Amino acid sequence: MAGLYIHVPFCERRCIYCDFYFVTTVRSHAPFVAALQAEIAHYGSEYGQREPLKTIYFGGGTPSRLSAPDLESILNTVATHFDTSAVEEVTLELNPDDASITYLRALRAMGVNRLSIGIQSFFEDDLTFMNRSHSQVQARGVVDAARTAGFDNFSIDLIFGLPDQPPEYWGANLERAVGMEVPHISTYSLTVEPRTVLANQVQRGLVSELPDETVSERYLFTMEYLEDRGYEHYEISSFSRPGARSVHNTAYWRHENYIGLGPAAHSFWWTGLPAQRWANVRNLRTYEALVQDGQMPLDFRERLLLDDLANEHIMLSLRTSDGIDMDHLEQRYGVDLLDEKLDDIARLENGGLLEPVTARTLKLTRKGRTVCDSVVQRLVL
Amino acid sequence: MSYDPKRIRNFCIIAHIDHGKSTLADRLLEITGTLTSRQMENQVLDSMDLERERGITIKSHAIRMQYNAQDGQEYSLNLIDTPGHVDFTYEVSRALKACEGAILVVDAAQGIEAQTISNLFLAMENDLEIIPVMNKVDLPGSNPDVVAQSIENLIGEPAEDILRISAKTGEGVPELLESIVARVPSPKGDANAPLKALIFDSVFNTYRGSIVYTRVFEGTLSKGQGMRFMSNNKLYDAEELGYLRLDMEPKKELRAGEVGYVIGSVKDVKDTRVGDTITTSKNGATEPVPGYRDVKPMVFSGVYPTNSEDFEDLRASLDKLQLNDAALTYEPETSAALGFGFRVGFLGLLHMEIVQERLDREFGLDIITTVPNVEYIVTKTNGDEIKVDNPSHLPGTGLIHEITEPYVKAEIITPSEYIGNLMKLCQERRGIYKNTQYLDTERVNLEYELPLAEIVFDFYDKLKSLSRGYASFDYEFIEYQPGHLVKLDVMINGDPVDALSTIVHRDKAYEMGRRLVKKLKDLIPRQMFEVALQATIGSRIIARETVRAMRKDVTAKCYGGDISRKRKLLEKQKEGKKRMKQVGSVEVPQEAFLAVLSMDD
């Protein structure tokens, strides 16, 4: 079973922190949709019959910038070229300002059964700071609208650690999300990525990042608050009510196969060694031109051997509450981690960063999650 | 040309870095036709890249030129190059010994520098005829009248007689050649006496073994003859000998007064020590050319591979380096913190830097060097005397009767306005004031005795910054003197780190300890757990700092399926970690082992 990711590179405007690929120019979406459909056909002929799809995910950018007819025709093309009989999750990333009831109903009708809503904050000044395209009112109304349109499975994104954000805002954001019984919450600490507006502001001294201590405290508070209220912290940035985990994202963390389409989209395919990862070019016009010309719009392709895959698995599985299963690591990746890293594991356990789930499974503690990358660094080979 | 010692001139050039020695050598070669302009390569005498980059001559070489003088005679001029840095004083003295004259080159804008003076004095001690010249007179900003006066004050040469040249344009160089012929004495010596030939340099050639550069003082060395090196009584045959032109020019013999090369299948440069005398194996001389000494390293440092698997590679590289650098010494040692490595002895700081850079550049080795130290002589309470070249080997305080440390005589030449700054610096470094001498109205020669240990740290940089780059300095070892010295140790999370131990003066220990752990705190990145840093003397903790635990290190977003980027980041971090040394559970960056060198005031 494979995942299909579709990158929609359109945004109404640029959020100051975003380093995903998108364009904000107002233009016709037709050339993109046409190119995407050509790419779907191409991959469908190559991969479509190998594994049936389990999930489809529209990410971005802002997929909700596409009209319902455009999205429907894309889904139809997917159904033509891939086996979609077993698809259990079709997610679309949605901005609150695109969430009209009509649009939401159309999405539901064409088979989208999960929304990932970019709320980020329920406070106007936060939204202004981030240069989001939606308002506080839209942020507060979108969940009801989604439910009214028939969505019971959805996630909202919330960002914490904004500079100058009053400390009580974050608690209030979580409280509101929990109060609305949102089934899934993704929480991100604001990250200054290179070559973003935010990075520029930081560099020029207009914005100062919060100290690590403060961000770490807010993250720990988030874990405690949401877990106390019945959410499962099943991945570093992901909290869900029972049964509401993201099936598509979970596949990334489990080394399941996925095909990414659209500019800057990433793919992974592992049936025999070497496994392959590849990505499309990060430029819409180049992407369209290459696809229309019958060429692969490739940015890079890399081949991974078992060592690389083992390290990836350690890195990815440690981010999840399932943790690292030593038996699985040994069987699928040929690595005996207890043998290789016994001292490090003991030190990390004693230091309260790692804990056993079972005798042969380890996961990060809450404290461990705040320094996840360093722990991973210690455990990779 | 037949052998006629009256028409031989052996001379060298004494100059400060950048004052134009190499350019002048180029002009001499060009004007004498030794080099055609097609062969002309700038700064011919400096053949190592590293030397050229740093504008210094590390090893001395020699070249023979034929010159038709205005008196109608042809002369053989042997230009013997000298290393220009304080670390190589002994080698300089041997090169000078091989000459009868020296050209003193002084930059007409910069004036005389300390290094020039010490080499000049060496030349005067060797009774060389000194021909002073002022170079770069064509440049704006030159001040030949003032500089000429300071030269007159120094060596008594009337200021108005001093040649003014431009090595770059060639102006004044023909006159200089005439001066060399007229003023440098021809070599004395009897070509029929028992052989005495001074080794003033040697280089190692993979195919031919050691190539010896020599000046014959007495007698004749013939091709095929048996040779004896007088310091070690090793015997070799003179398989090939000849003159040093641009290439080697084989001859049948080298006679008294001549300069040339000898090859004798000498597999180990250590057998052909600079300063040694070659004589014949039969009917040889009884006394060598005076002045030979075994060059001893003055500065020591631990050199460790960052990756412990590279230990054998490091050994092989040091072996290779030593082939061309007999002054380099090394012995294997073990550090609890750094594993297996070597204690390497250097002539001085520049020599150390050169070796480190060559290990990196020519051999691609990633190494950690510990803070350089001098060699102490420790008298124990039981009367035993031991030498300590590694601070962590200093015996416990209770076992020490006395520690002595090497002192140097330092000469600092500075514009007079910086005297105050520099005297303060010398006092801080436990210097003993000796003398002040005015070279001219603006420039002063300050003389101090200083513990060598106090100048192996950042003395030179400090000197330069306190004098806006104008002061220069030179030093030579004088003697060992007792001092109140203690060992300062550093503990990381309670584990002593031997590679961070230093020996310091008691009065400075507290301050030093405090600054050292503070600096280490800045250099050691936050880790997952708190790291305690302590400076101790014996069992007393004199300073403490804590590297607090890292609070946040987590990538928020890990989807959109872009795992490649994160994996590559991980790999990059892993590479970065390879450059760290694991001390207990703490990752310590390489720079930390040199923390002492970069402490702020």
Side-chain angles (χ1 to χ4, degrees):
Chain A
M1 299 279 272
L4 186 70
Y5 174 83
I6 294 171
H7 191 82
V8 181
F10 303 114
C11 282
E12 203 268 326
R13 56 168 93 171
R14 176 179 294 272
C15 304
I16 61 164
Y17 51 82
C18 184
D19 72 335
F20 283 89
Y21 178 69
F22 63 94
V23 294
T24 53
T25 45
V26 182
R27 50 166 272 179
S28 161
H29 296 151
F32 165 72
V33 174
L36 187 62
Q37 286 173 320
E39 206 193 6
I40 292 168
H42 169 82
Y43 278 101
S45 66
E46 201 179 330
Y47 292 90
Q49 304 314 313
R50 294 202 206 166
E51 288 182 20
L53 295 181
K54 183 163 68 169
T55 57
I56 300 172
Y57 192 106
F58 288 94
T62 314
S64 56
R65 298 312 297 169
L66 286 184
S67 67
D70 277 348
L71 287 167
E72 190 163 10
S73 100
I74 293 167
L75 280 175
N76 285 339
T77 312
V78 172
T80 308
H81 296 280
F82 287 84
D83 176 357
T84 54
S85 58
V87 168
E88 54 183 88
E89 184 187 277
V90 181
T91 306
L92 181 120
E93 289 180 354
L94 173 95
N95 262 8
D97 48 327
D98 294 325
S100 71
I101 287 289
T102 328
Y103 185 69
L104 290 170
R105 285 207 167 110
L107 293 177
R108 194 70 197 84
M110 72 179 78
V112 175
N113 61 10
R114 184 173 181 272
L115 296 173
S116 171
I117 309 170
I119 289 178
Q120 315 309 351
S121 173
F122 293 107
F123 291 95
E124 198 70 51
D125 36 353
D126 284 353
L127 296 171
T128 307
F129 168 75
M130 291 184 272
N131 196 35
R132 294 292 299 180
S133 55
H134 64 279
S135 66
Q136 171 181 311
V137 175
Q138 288 168 325
R140 294 179 181 187
V142 64
V143 168
D144 277 349
R147 284 212 169 97
T148 307
F151 287 97
D152 55 1
N153 188 11
F154 55 87
S155 172
I156 68 169
D157 289 352
L158 294 173
I159 289 189
F160 65 99
L162 300 181
D164 304 327
Q165 185 189 47
E168 66 274 14
Y169 275 26
W170 179 240
N173 274 338
L174 289 176
E175 193 181 342
R176 186 176 286 271
V178 173
M180 292 192 289
E181 297 183 352
V182 171
H184 188 287
I185 303 172
S186 295
T187 61
Y188 305 109
S189 70
L190 183 74
T191 308
V192 183
E193 300 287 353
R195 292 179 299 280
T196 56
V197 176
L198 181 60
N200 185 279
Q201 290 174 338
V202 169
Q203 204 184 341
R204 283 164 44 211
L206 299 175
V207 169
S208 41
E209 291 181 81
L210 287 184
D212 284 355
E213 278 76 4
T214 312
V215 177
S216 175
E217 274 159 26
R218 291 205 186 151
Y219 185 36
L220 286 165
F221 165 77
T222 308
M223 295 185 222
E224 192 182 334
Y225 187 89
L226 292 179
E227 287 182 89
D228 283 354
R229 282 156 186 79
Y231 286 84
E232 184 191 12
H233 188 191
Y234 74 103
E235 190 266 346
I236 289 290
S237 302
S238 312
F239 296 83
S240 80
R241 296 275 196 191
R245 290 187 183 194
S246 162
V247 180
H248 183 82
N249 287 336
T250 299
Y252 293 150
W253 306 323
R254 288 189 180 157
H255 266 157
E256 290 170 20
N257 294 336
Y258 55 91
I259 301 289
L261 307 175
H266 288 254
S267 306
F268 173 73
W269 203 268
W270 178 11
T271 43
L273 287 171
Q276 294 193 53
R277 286 195 183 280
W278 67 93
N280 282 350
V281 290
R282 278 178 74 94
N283 182 295
L284 178 58
R285 283 181 195 285
T286 315
Y287 166 81
E288 287 168 356
L290 286 170
V291 174
Q292 295 305 353
D293 198 33
Q295 300 182 48
M296 300 278 280
L298 269 193
D299 181 27
F300 69 85
R301 181 191 293 279
E302 51 182 11
R303 293 175 171 78
L304 307 178
L305 296 173
L306 216 47
D307 287 356
D308 305 313
L309 292 162
N311 279 341
E312 281 192 0
H313 179 69
I314 292 166
M315 164 179 107
L316 294 169
S317 62
L318 262 184
R319 292 177 66 86
T320 68
S321 59
D322 296 342
I324 306 183
D325 179 337
M326 303 299 160
D327 295 324
H328 181 66
L329 190 63
E330 200 166 343
Q331 284 152 21
R332 193 175 182 198
Y333 301 89
V335 169
D336 184 349
L337 198 66
L338 282 179
D339 184 51
E340 300 258 2
K341 297 281 180 179
L342 193 59
D343 288 352
D344 285 302
I345 289 171
R347 201 173 287 132
L348 291 164
E349 278 193 42
N350 291 335
L353 301 180
L354 266 186
E355 64 187 357
V357 185
T358 67
R360 299 281 293 165
T361 312
L362 281 170
K363 67 171 183 128
L364 292 173
T365 61
R366 279 184 187 169
K367 191 175 156 199
R369 290 169 188 225
T370 64
V371 291
C372 172
D373 292 1
S374 290
V375 177
V376 167
Q377 196 56 257
R378 278 285 157 125
L379 295 184
V380 290
L381 307 166
Chain B
M1 187 185 133
S2 61
Y3 168 71
D4 179 0
K6 288 195 189 60
R7 284 191 273 136
I8 295 175
R9 299 291 182 270
N10 297 321
F11 69 101
C12 59
I13 303 174
I14 294 171
H16 187 74
I17 294 170
D18 290 340
H19 282 199
K21 177 168 75 170
S22 302
T23 317
L24 177 58
D26 287 354
R27 279 303 85 66
L28 295 173
L29 295 176
E30 197 177 44
I31 292 172
T32 56
T34 311
L35 273 185
T36 63
S37 48
R38 192 169 52 81
Q39 294 167 311
M40 200 68 201
E41 188 195 357
N42 272 338
Q43 304 192 1
V44 171
L45 292 183
D46 293 355
S47 57
M48 287 168 69
D49 283 350
L50 199 60
E51 294 178 25
R52 199 167 305 178
E53 256 172 52
R54 294 176 162 234
I56 49 172
T57 314
I58 297 166
K59 299 289 284 182
S60 48
H61 304 282
I63 195 156
R64 179 175 167 127
M65 301 171 274
Q66 299 307 129
Y67 173 62
N68 292 308
Q70 282 169 8
D71 62 7
Q73 303 284 341
E74 190 191 14
Y75 289 84
S76 296
L77 308 182
N78 288 305
L79 168 58
I80 293 169
D81 200 22
T82 53
H85 189 272
V86 23
D87 287 356
F88 303 96
T89 303
Y90 172 70
E91 292 184 336
V92 175
S93 80
R94 295 300 82 194
L96 294 175
K97 181 86 187 164
C99 304
E100 277 80 25
I103 304 172
L104 171 67
V105 178
V106 181
D107 184 308
Q110 308 282 324
I112 298 171
E113 310 267 0
Q115 198 181 85
T116 324
I117 295 209
S118 59
N119 284 349
L120 172 67
F121 287 172
L122 271 177
M124 289 159 88
E125 282 167 27
N126 280 290
D127 275 336
L128 265 53
E129 171 70 24
I130 311 291
I131 304 175
V133 299
M134 276 179 296
N135 190 22
K136 305 191 188 179
V137 291
D138 56 320
L139 289 189
S142 73
N143 205 348
D145 294 335
V146 173
V147 173
Q149 190 54 50
S150 63
I151 296 174
E152 179 177 335
N153 295 350
L154 201 62
I155 61 172
E157 178 98 2
E160 64 273 16
D161 293 350
I162 296 170
L163 280 174
R164 301 181 176 200
I165 68 164
S166 165
K168 200 169 146 212
T169 65
E171 180 191 337
V173 180
E175 292 79 1
L176 174 59
L177 278 163
E178 284 300 314
S179 233
I180 293 168
V181 169
R183 291 179 57 175
V184 176
S186 58
K188 316 257 178 309
D190 179 357
N192 298 313
L195 178 70
K196 279 188 192 179
L198 173 77
I199 301 177
F200 63 84
D201 199 4
S202 67
V203 295
F204 189 78
N205 179 295
T206 318
Y207 304 104
R208 315 215 53 187
S210 187
I211 300 173
V212 172
Y213 295 165
T214 185
R215 152 77 195 267
V216 182
F217 278 89
E218 300 279 354
T220 300
L221 178 60
S222 308
K223 188 180 170 183
Q225 205 168 21
M227 300 184 289
R228 178 166 66 90
F229 295 144
M230 294 183 78
S231 74
N232 51 26
N233 285 319
K234 297 260 176 138
L235 299 174
Y236 293 97
D237 287 339
E239 291 168 11
E240 183 184 320
L241 50 76
Y243 298 153
L244 292 153
R245 306 276 188 190
L246 199 54
D247 297 312
M248 292 180 285
E249 184 182 303
K251 290 281 162 191
K252 289 215 159 44
E253 55 187 27
L254 289 174
R255 309 179 69 174
E258 290 191 307
V259 171
Y261 72 94
V262 186
I263 296 171
S265 296
V266 183
K267 290 286 170 252
D268 192 342
V269 279
K270 277 183 269 186
D271 286 352
T272 56
R273 285 294 179 88
V274 169
D276 197 2
T277 301
I278 306 172
T279 190
T280 45
S281 52
K282 286 175 197 154
N283 306 320
T286 47
E287 291 295 321
V289 179
Y292 174 78
R293 67 185 154 88
D294 215 4
V295 188
K296 290 212 171 55
M298 298 294 285
V299 175
F300 298 81
S301 164
V303 175
Y304 291 81
T306 308
N307 184 344
S308 53
E309 289 150 29
D310 293 340
F311 175 76
E312 283 306 327
D313 285 350
L314 177 57
R315 181 201 296 275
S317 306
L318 286 168
D319 284 346
K320 277 194 188 138
L321 280 184
Q322 202 185 37
L323 286 177
N324 254 331
D325 188 350
L328 182 71
T329 64
Y330 54 94
E331 277 174 23
E333 72 171 10
T334 319
S335 152
L338 300 178
F340 292 102
F342 295 92
R343 177 84 0 194
V344 184
F346 310 94
L347 295 174
L349 281 184
L350 177 81
H351 189 210
M352 179 171 105
E353 265 178 56
I354 290 167
V355 170
Q356 284 170 0
E357 237 175 284
R358 291 185 69 185
L359 286 173
D360 174 37
R361 218 184 278 198
E362 291 170 34
F363 300 95
L365 284 170
D366 202 1
I367 54 171
I368 292 176
T369 25
T370 64
V371 173
N373 57 269
V374 301
E375 186 169 62
Y376 299 91
I377 298 177
V378 178
T379 313
K380 300 213 280 188
T381 42
N382 65 6
D384 288 356
E385 197 179 275
I386 55 166
K387 287 183 176 174
V388 175
D389 64 9
N390 178 340
S392 66
H393 296 165
L394 195 73
T397 338
L399 300 173
I400 297 178
H401 171 65
E402 186 185 64
I403 309 179
T404 61
E405 60 178 328
Y407 270 68
V408 297
K409 187 177 95 179
E411 297 198 335
I412 299 169
I413 294 190
T414 174
S416 48
E417 58 193 294
Y418 304 115
I419 291 181
N421 284 351
L422 298 180
M423 290 182 92
K424 188 161 167 275
L425 172 67
C426 289
Q427 263 158 22
E428 282 166 11
R429 301 303 176 100
R430 300 190 280 135
I432 303 159
Y433 171 77
K434 286 292 168 188
N435 193 20
T436 309
Q437 183 200 354
Y438 273 83
L439 299 173
D440 53 44
T441 51
E442 284 160 20
R443 294 163 68 80
V444 174
N445 185 3
L446 275 178
E447 217 181 283
Y448 268 88
E449 284 179 17
L450 283 156
L452 178 61
E454 296 283 350
I455 60 174
V456 298
F457 287 178
D458 50 356
F459 184 80
Y460 188 70
D461 293 339
K462 280 270 152 50
L463 180 98
K464 283 289 179 193
S465 71
L466 288 173
S467 66
R468 293 166 170 254
Y470 284 112
S472 60
F473 108 115
D474 200 354
Y475 64 85
E476 65 176 332
F477 168 73
I478 43 176
E479 61 181 348
Y480 271 79
Q481 289 182 19
H484 293 293
L485 302 168
V486 293
K487 180 161 67 112
L488 181 66
D489 293 313
V490 172
M491 300 210 283
I492 295 184
N493 277 351
D495 298 326
V497 182
D498 54 1
L500 284 170
S501 295
T502 47
I503 293 174
V504 294
H505 193 265
R506 196 178 54 192
D507 296 348
K508 292 182 165 188
Y510 277 81
E511 176 63 12
M512 182 95 162
R514 197 183 57 75
R515 283 164 59 196
L516 182 55
V517 288
K518 193 157 179 289
K519 185 72 194 177
L520 285 171
K521 183 189 172 187
D522 295 340
L523 290 171
I524 296 175
R526 282 189 172 200
Q527 326 236 330
M528 281 180 288
F529 307 107
E530 191 174 278
V531 178
L533 304 169
Q534 293 164 313
T536 65
I537 295 173
S539 55
R540 241 173 334 141
I541 294 165
I542 61 166
R544 186 194 157 98
E545 291 280 351
T546 305
V547 180
R548 295 183 54 201
M550 169 194 297
R551 290 300 297 275
K552 173 181 157 276
D553 181 26
V554 51
T555 308
K557 252 188 208 247
C558 200
Y559 60 70
D562 182 1
I563 309 298
S564 301
R565 183 168 138 192
K566 185 148 169 49
R567 193 192 62 249
K568 281 170 191 160
L569 190 68
L570 196 67
E571 282 161 5
K572 206 171 125 195
Q573 287 165 344
K574 214 161 82 180
E575 267 317 295
K577 278 176 75 160
K578 274 193 190 158
R579 300 180 72 89
M580 304 257 225
K581 205 76 196 182
Q582 187 100 11
V583 175
S585 61
V586 182
E587 280 159 349
V588 181
Q590 286 166 304
E591 311 89 77
F593 294 99
L594 289 170
V596 173
L597 298 186
S598 55
M599 287 188 309
D600 310 320
D601 290 312

